[in-house]
Structures are given as structure tokens and as C-alpha cells.
Amino acid sequence: MNASLRMAIDAAPHIVVTGGAGYIGSHAVVALFAAGYRVTIFDDLRRSHPQVLDGIAAITGEPASLVSVDICDEAALDAAFAQCGQVDAVIHFAAYKSVRESVADPVIYYRNNVGGTVSLIAAMARARCRRLVFSSSCTVYGQPDALPVTEASPMKTAASPYGASKQMCERILRDAQAAKGNTSLSHVVSLRYFNPAGAHPSALIGELPAGTPDNLIPYITQTAAGWRKTLRVFGSDYPTPDGTAIRDYLHVMDLAEAHVAAVELAMRASPGLEEINLGTGIGVSVLQAVAAFEHATGVTVPIEMAPRRPGDIEQIWSSGTRAADKLGWRTVRSIDEMMASAWAWQTRLGSTPPAGV
Ligand code: UD1
């Protein structure tokens, strides 16, 4: 890297990304870097793989700057912020995300997702950083009465402790942003993701959950690759055209770019709070997602019908009006690109799963 580029990066706004070695976090780190930001990752790699950092470095041409820290450990967070110097904003991804696991073991979701967010806000206040972009989820709506879901749609009872943990975090952020005390936040942008999928076009980073995937698209790619025998389709008796549940799948690179726009919004002069849906506005059933994968890749996915999964809702998709207004953002990548990139990443991982998967 030449000296003037180095100086430009050193002078750029500095963003801390908690959970930056995770699936969405790693793609956001790459997008922030491409937009000229300086990035430090806070992550203890407990649910990600150290190779993600190599992938980020290979894409950006810079070693990823990582501080290993448990998001629930306030003293460790204080030390991490002290090590970073001036931080202009934080994007907070570090959280657990399995609906199934949250139904089985809710307390770890409340401890890590809610407790971690509270610890982070308190540590940010001590570090004098009051701008936060939060990784929320469409799950905060529960099963909506009307579709597409707008940000004005009521929050129903969450269908899972995971969903409840996101609702609680959003409430905490609203209170912290409205307050004027020692632990208040000045700028908050909560991003309610629909269903991210796909991978960076380099296939150097992508989705690789530890253990058996809960999410549909990695289960599809791992089944297509022969890592898993059959994809179980959870529920074929939903009141949808083909009986399977409907979601709004968006390309993870589109989602990553939304975080750059959200950071820019959080860097504005006047304090504020925004809650914004991020999706395509298109509902896709489980069987349509399988067909889209097969169409994009030419690879067949063996499926079997199975009972509904506890904690699942039947259908949801997004209205993107506020994202367009507030962030100037909409998705630009197709479902074909999403599936092809997910497959390119899966293919790169090889014919047998790495240890721990
Ligand atoms: C849920 C949340 C989402 C969150 C995500 C994090 C809702 C509405 N959505 O996603 O906001 O970001 O968790 O993990 O709560 N499926 C199968 N077979 C499989 C796997 C999944 O049929 O092997 C089906 C599911 O039953 C569901 C659909 O595929 O109908 C999508 O599932 P998944 O990818 O796990 O995402 P959500 O549960 O929608």
C-alpha cells in the first residue's frame, strides 16, 4: 500500500464491528473497507472460523484488525475500546441467531443477545462513542397480519426467544437513544433484516455455521454438496400457494452495503433513531428457494417433507420504502446471483466438511 492511501485510511472514520467474523459481519467489514472506512472487529470467534479473517484480508489486501472480546464482558470491552483509540460508530452484530436453539435454551439467548447489547452500550458510553447501528431482524414483527411488513406494522408476540431477544434489544436502544443520562446513545439505526443468503463474489467469505445449519440456504448448499443427505422441508401445510413457508431472501452483499449507508446515516449531525426493514419485497417459499438454487446451479437437491419447525412463522416479506427513503438503498442482486454465489462458496469448501461442521 502506498503512503498516501495509508494516510487516507488512517484519517477515515473508525468503525468497530462486533461479530465482524460472522456471516453478515464479515461481508459488512468488506463493504465498509471498500467504502473507505477504518474497521476494527470485536469478536471472540466462538461461533465463527479464524479462516474468515484470512478471507477478509485476501479481499481487502489488509490484515483484518481483530480484538478478541466477549461481548458480555464489560471490563474486556473497556480494554478493547481503550486499545482502539477514537471510535466514530459501532455496528453490533455479535449475537446468537438460531430460532431452534433459542427455543431449546432461551436463557443463553437473553444472556448473550440482550446482556451483550447492554454491556456494549455501557462500554460505548465510557469510550465516548454514542452512535450505533444494530443488527435486528424481521422476527421482531412475529407473524404479521398484513403483508408486506412496513416499519409501522405492530410488533406481535415474538414466535421464539431469539425473536424476543431482538425485540428487547430494540426497546433498550429506543430508551437509550431517548435518554440524556450517562449511558445514552445519540444515534441509533436498527436494521431489521429479512433472510440474508449468498456470498461475496470472490467466494473467499460466505456462510459456514458451526455444526448442522439451521438456516435454509446453507442447508441446501451442504445437501447439494453431499455433506448432508436430504433437505427436510419444515412444514408443507402452511396456508401458502405450495404449502411451504414464505420468506424474503436477500443477497448478503446487498445487505452489507446497507450497513455502509446506515453508518453514514448514524454519522449525521443531529441525533436520531431509525428502524428500517431490509429485504427485497419478494416472498419466496421453501420449495421455490430449492427450485431457484437448482435453476442457478444445475444441481439437484434431494428433499423430504417434514413437520413444521417450532418457533417458525408461516410467511413474511418486506416493504422497502423506508430503506429507499432513509438509506437510498434497495437490493440490486438477483436470486440467481444469490444462489450461484452461495454455491461457489460451498464448492470452494470442498467435498468434506471442515472439523466442527
Ligand atoms: C429466522 C428469522 C430471521 C433471522 C434468522 C436467523 C423469522 C421470520 N426470521 O429466519 O429474521 O435472521 O432466523 O437465523 O423469524 N427450512 C427448512 N429446512 C431447513 C431449514 C429451514 O424447511 O433445513 C425452512 C424454515 O422452516 C423456514 C425457512 O426455511 O420456513 C427459512 O428458515 P431459516 O433460513 O432458518 O430462516 P428463518 O427461520 O426464516
Coordinates of all heavy atoms in Angstrom, one line a residue, residues 30-123:
V30 N -16.1 -6.0 4.8 CA -15.5 -5.9 3.4 C -16.1 -4.7 2.7 O -15.5 -3.9 2.1 CB -15.7 -7.2 2.6 CG1 -15.5 -7.0 1.2 CG2 -14.8 -8.3 3.2
A31 N -17.5 -4.5 2.9 CA -18.1 -3.4 2.3 C -17.7 -2.0 2.9 O -17.5 -1.0 2.2 CB -19.7 -3.5 2.4
L32 N -17.5 -2.0 4.2 CA -17.0 -0.8 4.9 C -15.6 -0.4 4.4 O -15.3 0.7 4.1 CB -17.0 -1.0 6.4 CG -18.3 -1.0 7.1 CD1 -18.1 -1.6 8.5 CD2 -18.9 0.4 7.2
F33 N -14.8 -1.4 4.3 CA -13.4 -1.2 3.8 C -13.5 -0.6 2.4 O -12.8 0.3 2.1 CB -12.6 -2.5 3.8 CG -11.2 -2.3 3.7 CD1 -10.4 -2.1 4.8 CD2 -10.6 -2.3 2.4 CE1 -9.0 -1.9 4.7 CE2 -9.2 -2.1 2.3 CZ -8.4 -1.9 3.4
A34 N -14.3 -1.2 1.5 CA -14.4 -0.8 0.1 C -14.9 0.7 0.1 O -14.6 1.4 -0.9 CB -15.3 -1.7 -0.7
A35 N -15.7 1.1 1.1 CA -16.2 2.5 1.1 C -15.3 3.4 1.8 O -15.6 4.6 1.9 CB -17.6 2.5 1.8
G36 N -14.1 2.9 2.2 CA -13.1 3.8 2.7 C -13.0 4.0 4.2 O -12.3 4.8 4.7
Y37 N -13.8 3.1 5.0 CA -13.7 3.2 6.4 C -12.6 2.4 7.0 O -12.1 1.5 6.4 CB -15.1 2.7 7.0 CG -16.2 3.6 6.8 CD1 -17.1 3.4 5.7 CD2 -16.4 4.7 7.6 CE1 -18.2 4.3 5.5 CE2 -17.5 5.5 7.4 CZ -18.4 5.3 6.4 OH -19.4 6.2 6.2
R38 N -12.2 2.8 8.2 CA -11.2 2.1 9.0 C -12.0 1.2 9.9 O -13.0 1.6 10.5 CB -10.4 3.0 9.8 CG -9.1 2.5 10.4 CD -8.1 3.7 10.5 NE -8.6 4.7 11.4 CZ -8.4 4.8 12.7 NH1 -7.7 3.9 13.3 NH2 -8.9 5.8 13.4
V39 N -11.7 -0.1 10.0 CA -12.6 -1.1 10.7 C -11.8 -1.9 11.7 O -10.7 -2.4 11.4 CB -13.2 -2.1 9.7 CG1 -14.1 -3.1 10.4 CG2 -14.0 -1.3 8.6
T40 N -12.3 -2.0 12.9 CA -11.8 -2.9 13.9 C -12.9 -3.9 14.3 O -14.0 -3.5 14.6 CB -11.3 -2.2 15.2 OG1 -10.3 -1.3 14.8 CG2 -10.7 -3.2 16.2
I41 N -12.5 -5.2 14.3 CA -13.5 -6.2 14.6 C -13.4 -6.6 16.1 O -12.3 -6.9 16.5 CB -13.2 -7.5 13.7 CG1 -13.4 -7.2 12.2 CG2 -14.1 -8.7 14.1 CD1 -12.9 -8.3 11.3
F42 N -14.5 -6.6 16.8 CA -14.6 -7.2 18.1 C -15.2 -8.6 18.0 O -16.4 -8.6 17.7 CB -15.4 -6.4 19.1 CG -14.8 -5.1 19.6 CD1 -13.5 -4.6 19.1 CD2 -15.4 -4.3 20.6 CE1 -13.0 -3.4 19.6 CE2 -14.9 -3.1 21.0 CZ -13.6 -2.7 20.5
D43 N -14.5 -9.6 18.3 CA -15.1 -11.0 18.1 C -14.3 -12.0 18.8 O -13.0 -11.9 18.7 CB -15.1 -11.3 16.6 CG -16.1 -12.4 16.2 OD1 -16.2 -13.4 16.9 OD2 -16.9 -12.2 15.2
D44 N -14.9 -12.9 19.5 CA -14.1 -14.0 20.2 C -14.1 -15.3 19.4 O -13.6 -16.3 19.9 CB -14.5 -14.2 21.6 CG -15.9 -14.7 21.8 OD1 -16.6 -14.9 20.7 OD2 -16.4 -14.8 22.9
L45 N -14.6 -15.2 18.2 CA -14.6 -16.3 17.2 C -15.3 -17.6 17.8 O -15.1 -18.7 17.3 CB -13.2 -16.7 16.8 CG -12.3 -15.6 16.2 CD1 -10.9 -16.1 15.8 CD2 -13.0 -15.0 15.0
R46 N -16.2 -17.4 18.8 CA -16.8 -18.6 19.4 C -17.7 -19.3 18.4 O -17.9 -20.5 18.6 CB -17.4 -18.3 20.7 CG -18.9 -17.8 20.6 CD -19.5 -17.6 21.9 NE -18.9 -16.4 22.6 CZ -19.6 -15.8 23.6 NH1 -20.8 -16.2 24.0 NH2 -19.0 -14.8 24.2
R47 N -18.3 -18.6 17.5 CA -19.2 -19.2 16.6 C -18.8 -18.9 15.1 O -19.6 -18.9 14.2 CB -20.7 -18.9 16.8 CG -21.2 -19.4 18.1 CD -22.6 -19.6 18.1 NE -23.0 -20.4 19.4 CZ -24.2 -20.7 19.7 NH1 -25.2 -20.3 18.9 NH2 -24.5 -21.3 20.8
S48 N -17.6 -18.6 14.9 CA -17.1 -18.4 13.6 C -15.8 -19.1 13.4 O -15.3 -19.8 14.3 CB -17.0 -16.9 13.2 OG -16.3 -16.2 14.2
H49 N -15.1 -18.9 12.3 CA -13.9 -19.7 12.0 C -12.8 -18.6 11.7 O -13.0 -17.6 11.0 CB -14.1 -20.5 10.7 CG -15.3 -21.5 10.8 ND1 -15.2 -22.7 11.3 CD2 -16.6 -21.3 10.6 CE1 -16.3 -23.3 11.3 NE2 -17.2 -22.5 10.9
P50 N -11.6 -18.9 12.3 CA -10.5 -18.0 12.1 C -10.2 -17.7 10.6 O -9.7 -16.6 10.3 CB -9.3 -18.6 12.8 CG -9.8 -19.9 13.4 CD -11.2 -20.1 13.1
Q51 N -10.5 -18.7 9.7 CA -10.2 -18.5 8.3 C -11.0 -17.3 7.7 O -10.6 -16.8 6.7 CB -10.6 -19.8 7.5 CG -9.8 -21.0 7.9 CD -10.5 -21.8 9.0 OE1 -10.9 -21.2 10.1 NE2 -10.7 -23.1 8.9
V52 N -12.1 -16.9 8.4 CA -12.8 -15.8 7.9 C -11.9 -14.6 7.8 O -12.0 -13.8 6.8 CB -14.0 -15.5 8.8 CG1 -14.7 -14.2 8.4 CG2 -15.0 -16.7 8.8
L53 N -11.0 -14.4 8.8 CA -10.1 -13.3 8.8 C -9.2 -13.3 7.6 O -8.8 -12.3 7.1 CB -9.4 -13.3 10.1 CG -10.3 -13.2 11.4 CD1 -9.5 -13.4 12.6 CD2 -11.1 -11.9 11.4
D54 N -8.7 -14.5 7.2 CA -7.9 -14.7 6.1 C -8.6 -14.2 4.8 O -8.1 -13.6 3.9 CB -7.4 -16.1 5.9 CG -6.6 -16.6 7.1 OD1 -6.0 -15.7 7.8 OD2 -6.6 -17.8 7.4
G55 N -9.9 -14.6 4.8 CA -10.7 -14.3 3.6 C -10.9 -12.8 3.5 O -10.8 -12.2 2.4
I56 N -11.2 -12.1 4.6 CA -11.3 -10.6 4.6 C -10.0 -10.0 4.2 O -10.0 -9.1 3.3 CB -11.7 -10.1 6.1 CG1 -13.1 -10.6 6.4 CG2 -11.6 -8.6 6.1 CD1 -13.5 -10.3 7.9
A57 N -8.9 -10.5 4.7 CA -7.6 -9.9 4.3 C -7.3 -10.1 2.8 O -6.8 -9.2 2.2 CB -6.5 -10.6 5.2
A58 N -7.7 -11.3 2.3 CA -7.4 -11.5 0.9 C -8.2 -10.6 0.0 O -7.8 -10.1 -1.0 CB -7.7 -13.0 0.6
I59 N -9.5 -10.3 0.4 CA -10.3 -9.4 -0.3 C -9.9 -8.0 -0.2 O -9.8 -7.3 -1.2 CB -11.8 -9.6 0.1 CG1 -12.3 -11.0 -0.2 CG2 -12.7 -8.5 -0.6 CD1 -13.6 -11.3 0.5
T60 N -9.5 -7.5 1.0 CA -9.3 -6.1 1.2 C -7.8 -5.8 0.9 O -7.5 -4.6 0.7 CB -9.6 -5.7 2.6 OG1 -8.8 -6.4 3.5 CG2 -11.1 -5.9 3.0
G61 N -6.9 -6.8 1.0 CA -5.5 -6.5 0.8 C -4.9 -6.0 2.1 O -3.7 -5.5 2.1
E62 N -5.6 -6.0 3.2 CA -5.1 -5.5 4.5 C -5.4 -6.6 5.6 O -6.4 -7.2 5.5 CB -6.0 -4.3 4.9 CG -5.6 -3.0 4.3 CD -4.6 -2.3 5.1 OE1 -4.8 -1.9 6.3 OE2 -3.5 -2.2 4.6
P63 N -4.5 -6.8 6.5 CA -4.8 -7.7 7.6 C -6.0 -7.2 8.3 O -6.1 -6.0 8.6 CB -3.6 -7.8 8.5 CG -2.7 -6.7 7.9 CD -3.2 -6.2 6.7
A64 N -7.0 -8.1 8.7 CA -8.1 -7.7 9.4 C -7.7 -7.4 10.8 O -6.9 -8.1 11.4 CB -9.2 -8.8 9.5
S65 N -8.2 -6.2 11.4 CA -7.8 -5.8 12.7 C -8.8 -6.4 13.7 O -10.0 -6.0 13.7 CB -7.8 -4.3 12.7 OG -7.7 -3.8 14.0
L66 N -8.4 -7.3 14.5 CA -9.3 -8.1 15.4 C -8.9 -7.9 16.8 O -7.7 -8.0 17.2 CB -9.2 -9.6 15.1 CG -9.9 -10.5 16.1 CD1 -11.4 -10.5 15.8 CD2 -9.4 -11.9 16.1
V67 N -9.9 -7.6 17.7 CA -9.7 -7.6 19.1 C -10.6 -8.7 19.6 O -11.8 -8.7 19.4 CB -10.1 -6.3 19.8 CG1 -9.8 -6.4 21.3 CG2 -9.3 -5.1 19.2
S68 N -10.0 -9.7 20.3 CA -10.8 -10.8 20.8 C -11.5 -10.4 22.1 O -10.8 -10.1 23.1 CB -9.9 -12.1 21.0 OG -10.6 -13.1 21.5
V69 N -12.8 -10.4 22.1 CA -13.5 -9.9 23.2 C -14.9 -10.6 23.3 O -15.6 -10.7 22.3 CB -13.6 -8.4 23.3 CG1 -14.3 -7.8 22.0 CG2 -14.3 -7.8 24.5
D70 N -15.3 -11.0 24.5 CA -16.6 -11.5 24.8 C -17.5 -10.3 25.0 O -17.3 -9.4 25.9 CB -16.5 -12.4 26.1 CG -17.9 -12.8 26.6 OD1 -18.9 -12.4 26.0 OD2 -17.9 -13.6 27.5
I71 N -18.6 -10.2 24.2 CA -19.5 -9.0 24.2 C -20.2 -8.8 25.6 O -20.6 -7.7 25.9 CB -20.5 -9.2 23.1 CG1 -21.1 -7.9 22.7 CG2 -21.6 -10.2 23.4 CD1 -20.3 -6.9 22.0
C72 N -20.2 -9.9 26.4 CA -20.9 -9.8 27.7 C -19.9 -9.3 28.8 O -20.3 -9.1 29.9 CB -21.5 -11.1 28.1 SG -22.8 -11.6 27.0
D73 N -18.6 -9.2 28.5 CA -17.6 -8.9 29.5 C -17.2 -7.4 29.4 O -16.4 -7.0 28.6 CB -16.4 -9.8 29.2 CG -15.2 -9.6 30.2 OD1 -15.2 -8.6 30.9 OD2 -14.4 -10.5 30.2
E74 N -17.8 -6.6 30.3 CA -17.7 -5.2 30.2 C -16.2 -4.7 30.4 O -15.8 -3.8 29.8 CB -18.6 -4.5 31.2 CG -20.0 -4.4 30.8 CD -20.8 -3.4 31.5 OE1 -20.3 -2.3 31.9 OE2 -22.0 -3.7 31.7
A75 N -15.5 -5.4 31.3 CA -14.1 -5.0 31.5 C -13.3 -5.2 30.3 O -12.5 -4.4 29.9 CB -13.5 -5.8 32.7
A76 N -13.6 -6.4 29.6 CA -12.8 -6.7 28.4 C -13.2 -5.7 27.3 O -12.4 -5.3 26.5 CB -13.2 -8.1 28.0
L77 N -14.5 -5.3 27.3 CA -14.9 -4.3 26.3 C -14.2 -3.0 26.5 O -13.8 -2.3 25.6 CB -16.5 -4.1 26.3 CG -17.3 -5.2 25.6 CD1 -18.8 -5.0 26.0 CD2 -17.1 -5.1 24.1
D78 N -14.1 -2.6 27.8 CA -13.4 -1.3 28.1 C -12.0 -1.4 27.6 O -11.5 -0.4 27.0 CB -13.4 -1.1 29.6 CG -14.7 -0.6 30.2 OD1 -15.6 -0.2 29.3 OD2 -14.9 -0.7 31.4
A79 N -11.3 -2.5 27.8 CA -9.9 -2.7 27.4 C -9.9 -2.6 25.9 O -9.0 -2.0 25.3 CB -9.4 -4.0 27.9
A80 N -10.9 -3.3 25.2 CA -10.9 -3.3 23.7 C -11.0 -1.9 23.2 O -10.3 -1.5 22.2 CB -12.0 -4.2 23.3
F81 N -12.0 -1.1 23.8 CA -12.1 0.3 23.3 C -10.9 1.1 23.5 O -10.5 1.9 22.7 CB -13.4 0.9 23.9 CG -14.7 0.6 23.2 CD1 -15.6 -0.2 23.8 CD2 -14.9 1.1 21.9 CE1 -16.8 -0.5 23.2 CE2 -16.1 0.8 21.3 CZ -17.1 0.0 21.9
A82 N -10.3 0.9 24.7 CA -9.0 1.6 25.0 C -7.9 1.4 24.0 O -7.2 2.3 23.6 CB -8.6 1.3 26.4
Q83 N -7.9 0.1 23.6 CA -6.9 -0.3 22.6 C -7.1 0.3 21.2 O -6.2 0.5 20.4 CB -7.0 -1.8 22.5 CG -5.9 -2.5 21.8 CD -6.1 -4.0 21.8 OE1 -6.6 -4.6 22.8 NE2 -5.8 -4.7 20.7
C84 N -8.4 0.7 20.9 CA -8.8 1.2 19.6 C -8.6 2.7 19.4 O -8.6 3.1 18.2 CB -10.3 1.0 19.4 SG -10.8 -0.6 19.0
G85 N -8.5 3.4 20.5 CA -8.5 4.9 20.3 C -9.8 5.4 19.9 O -10.8 4.8 20.2
Q86 N -9.9 6.5 19.1 CA -11.2 7.1 18.8 C -12.0 6.2 17.9 O -11.5 5.6 16.9 CB -10.8 8.4 18.0 CG -11.9 8.9 17.0 CD -12.8 9.9 17.7 OE1 -12.4 10.5 18.7 NE2 -14.0 10.0 17.1
V87 N -13.2 5.9 18.3 CA -14.2 5.1 17.5 C -15.4 6.0 17.2 O -16.0 6.7 18.0 CB -14.7 3.9 18.3 CG1 -15.8 3.2 17.6 CG2 -13.5 3.0 18.7
D88 N -15.7 6.1 15.9 CA -16.8 7.0 15.5 C -18.2 6.4 15.5 O -19.2 7.1 15.8 CB -16.5 7.5 14.0 CG -15.2 8.3 14.0 OD1 -15.2 9.4 14.4 OD2 -14.2 7.7 13.6
A89 N -18.2 5.1 15.3 CA -19.5 4.4 15.4 C -19.3 2.9 15.6 O -18.2 2.4 15.2 CB -20.4 4.6 14.1
V90 N -20.3 2.2 16.1 CA -20.2 0.7 16.3 C -21.3 0.1 15.5 O -22.5 0.6 15.5 CB -20.4 0.4 17.8 CG1 -20.4 -1.1 17.9 CG2 -19.2 0.9 18.6
I91 N -21.0 -1.0 14.8 CA -22.1 -1.8 14.2 C -22.1 -3.1 15.1 O -21.1 -3.8 15.2 CB -21.8 -2.2 12.7 CG1 -21.6 -0.9 11.9 CG2 -23.0 -3.0 12.2 CD1 -21.4 -1.2 10.4
H92 N -23.2 -3.4 15.6 CA -23.3 -4.5 16.6 C -24.0 -5.7 16.0 O -25.2 -5.8 16.0 CB -24.1 -4.0 17.8 CG -24.3 -5.0 18.9 ND1 -23.4 -6.0 19.2 CD2 -25.3 -5.2 19.7 CE1 -23.8 -6.8 20.2 NE2 -25.0 -6.3 20.5
F93 N -23.2 -6.7 15.6 CA -23.7 -8.0 15.0 C -23.6 -9.1 16.1 O -24.3 -10.1 15.9 CB -22.9 -8.5 13.8 CG -23.0 -7.7 12.6 CD1 -22.0 -6.7 12.2 CD2 -24.0 -7.8 11.7 CE1 -22.1 -6.0 11.1 CE2 -24.1 -7.1 10.6 CZ -23.2 -6.2 10.2
A94 N -22.7 -9.0 17.0 CA -22.4 -10.2 17.9 C -23.6 -10.6 18.6 O -24.1 -10.0 19.6 CB -21.3 -9.8 18.9
A95 N -24.2 -11.8 18.2 CA -25.4 -12.3 18.8 C -25.6 -13.8 18.3 O -25.0 -14.1 17.3 CB -26.6 -11.5 18.5
Y96 N -26.3 -14.5 19.1 CA -26.7 -15.9 18.6 C -28.0 -15.7 17.7 O -28.8 -14.8 17.9 CB -27.0 -16.8 19.8 CG -25.8 -17.1 20.6 CD1 -26.0 -17.5 21.9 CD2 -24.5 -17.1 20.1 CE1 -24.9 -17.9 22.7 CE2 -23.4 -17.4 20.9 CZ -23.6 -17.8 22.2 OH -22.6 -18.1 23.0
K97 N -28.2 -16.6 16.8 CA -29.2 -16.4 15.8 C -30.0 -17.6 15.4 O -30.7 -17.6 14.4 CB -28.6 -15.8 14.5 CG -27.6 -16.7 13.8 CD -27.5 -16.4 12.4 CE -26.9 -17.6 11.6 NZ -27.0 -17.5 10.2
S98 N -30.0 -18.7 16.2 CA -30.7 -19.9 15.8 C -32.1 -19.9 16.5 O -32.2 -19.9 17.7 CB -30.0 -21.1 16.2 OG -30.8 -22.2 16.3
V99 N -33.2 -19.8 15.7 CA -34.5 -19.9 16.3 C -34.7 -21.2 17.1 O -35.1 -21.2 18.2 CB -35.6 -19.8 15.1 CG1 -37.0 -20.1 15.7 CG2 -35.5 -18.4 14.5
R100 N -34.2 -22.3 16.5 CA -34.3 -23.6 17.1 C -33.6 -23.7 18.5 O -34.2 -24.0 19.5 CB -33.7 -24.7 16.2 CG -33.7 -26.1 16.7 CD -32.9 -27.0 15.9 NE -31.5 -26.5 15.8 CZ -30.6 -26.5 16.7 NH1 -30.8 -27.0 17.9 NH2 -29.3 -26.0 16.5
E101 N -32.4 -23.2 18.5 CA -31.6 -23.3 19.7 C -32.2 -22.3 20.8 O -32.2 -22.6 22.0 CB -30.2 -22.8 19.4 CG -29.2 -22.9 20.6 CD -27.9 -22.3 20.3 OE1 -27.8 -21.3 19.6 OE2 -26.9 -22.9 20.8
S102 N -32.8 -21.2 20.3 CA -33.4 -20.3 21.3 C -34.6 -20.8 21.9 O -34.9 -20.5 23.1 CB -33.7 -18.9 20.6 OG -34.9 -19.0 19.9
V103 N -35.3 -21.7 21.2 CA -36.5 -22.4 21.8 C -36.0 -23.4 22.8 O -36.6 -23.5 23.9 CB -37.3 -23.0 20.7 CG1 -38.5 -23.9 21.3 CG2 -37.9 -22.0 19.8
A104 N -34.9 -24.1 22.5 CA -34.4 -25.1 23.4 C -33.7 -24.6 24.6 O -33.7 -25.1 25.7 CB -33.4 -26.0 22.6
D105 N -33.0 -23.4 24.4 CA -32.2 -22.9 25.5 C -32.3 -21.4 25.5 O -31.3 -20.6 25.2 CB -30.7 -23.3 25.3 CG -29.9 -23.3 26.5 OD1 -30.4 -22.7 27.6 OD2 -28.8 -23.7 26.5
P106 N -33.5 -20.9 26.0 CA -33.7 -19.4 25.8 C -32.8 -18.5 26.6 O -32.4 -17.4 26.2 CB -35.1 -19.2 26.4 CG -35.6 -20.5 27.0 CD -34.6 -21.6 26.5
V107 N -32.3 -19.0 27.8 CA -31.5 -18.2 28.7 C -30.2 -17.7 28.0 O -29.8 -16.6 28.2 CB -31.3 -18.9 30.0 CG1 -30.3 -18.1 30.9 CG2 -32.6 -19.1 30.8
I108 N -29.6 -18.6 27.3 CA -28.3 -18.2 26.6 C -28.6 -17.1 25.6 O -27.7 -16.3 25.3 CB -27.5 -19.3 26.1 CG1 -28.2 -20.0 24.8 CG2 -27.1 -20.4 27.1 CD1 -27.2 -20.8 24.0
Y109 N -29.8 -17.1 25.0 CA -30.2 -16.0 24.1 C -30.4 -14.7 24.8 O -29.9 -13.6 24.3 CB -31.4 -16.4 23.2 CG -30.9 -17.2 22.0 CD1 -30.3 -18.5 22.3 CD2 -30.8 -16.7 20.8 CE1 -29.8 -19.2 21.2 CE2 -30.3 -17.4 19.7 CZ -29.7 -18.7 20.0 OH -29.2 -19.3 18.9
Y110 N -31.0 -14.7 26.0 CA -31.2 -13.5 26.7 C -29.9 -13.0 27.3 O -29.6 -11.8 27.2 CB -32.3 -13.7 27.8 CG -33.7 -14.0 27.2 CD1 -34.4 -15.1 27.5 CD2 -34.2 -13.1 26.2 CE1 -35.6 -15.4 26.9 CE2 -35.4 -13.4 25.6 CZ -36.1 -14.6 26.0 OH -37.3 -14.8 25.4
R111 N -29.1 -13.9 27.7 CA -27.8 -13.5 28.3 C -26.9 -12.9 27.2 O -26.3 -11.8 27.4 CB -27.1 -14.7 28.9 CG -25.8 -14.3 29.6 CD -25.1 -15.5 30.4 NE -24.9 -16.6 29.5 CZ -24.8 -17.9 29.9 NH1 -24.9 -18.2 31.1 NH2 -24.5 -18.8 29.0
N112 N -26.8 -13.6 26.1 CA -25.8 -13.2 25.1 C -26.3 -12.0 24.2 O -25.6 -11.0 24.0 CB -25.4 -14.3 24.2 CG -24.2 -14.1 23.4 OD1 -23.1 -13.7 23.9 ND2 -24.3 -14.2 22.1
N113 N -27.6 -12.1 23.8 CA -28.1 -11.1 22.9 C -28.5 -9.8 23.6 O -28.2 -8.7 23.2 CB -29.3 -11.7 22.1 CG -28.9 -12.8 21.1 OD1 -27.7 -13.2 21.1 ND2 -29.8 -13.2 20.3
V114 N -29.3 -10.0 24.7 CA -29.7 -8.9 25.4 C -28.6 -8.3 26.4 O -28.3 -7.2 26.4 CB -31.0 -9.2 26.2 CG1 -31.5 -7.9 27.0 CG2 -32.1 -9.7 25.3
G115 N -28.0 -9.3 27.2 CA -27.0 -8.9 28.1 C -25.8 -8.3 27.3 O -25.2 -7.3 27.7
G116 N -25.4 -8.9 26.2 CA -24.3 -8.4 25.4 C -24.6 -7.0 24.9 O -23.7 -6.1 24.9
T117 N -25.8 -6.7 24.5 CA -26.1 -5.4 24.0 C -26.1 -4.3 25.1 O -25.5 -3.2 24.9 CB -27.5 -5.4 23.3 OG1 -27.5 -6.3 22.2 CG2 -27.9 -4.0 22.8
V118 N -26.6 -4.7 26.3 CA -26.5 -3.8 27.4 C -25.0 -3.5 27.8 O -24.6 -2.3 28.0 CB -27.3 -4.4 28.6 CG1 -27.0 -3.6 29.9 CG2 -28.8 -4.4 28.3
S119 N -24.2 -4.5 27.8 CA -22.8 -4.3 28.2 C -22.1 -3.4 27.1 O -21.3 -2.6 27.5 CB -22.1 -5.7 28.2 OG -22.6 -6.5 29.1
L120 N -22.5 -3.7 25.9 CA -21.8 -2.9 24.8 C -22.2 -1.4 25.0 O -21.3 -0.5 24.9 CB -22.3 -3.4 23.4 CG -21.8 -2.6 22.3 CD1 -20.2 -2.7 22.1 CD2 -22.4 -3.1 21.0
I121 N -23.5 -1.1 25.2 CA -23.9 0.3 25.3 C -23.2 1.0 26.5 O -22.7 2.1 26.4 CB -25.5 0.4 25.5 CG1 -26.2 -0.1 24.3 CG2 -25.9 1.9 25.7 CD1 -27.7 -0.3 24.6
A122 N -23.1 0.3 27.6 CA -22.4 0.8 28.8 C -20.9 1.1 28.5 O -20.4 2.2 28.8 CB -22.5 -0.1 30.0
A123 N -20.3 0.2 27.8 CA -18.9 0.3 27.4 C -18.7 1.4 26.4 O -17.7 2.2 26.5 CB -18.3 -1.0 26.9

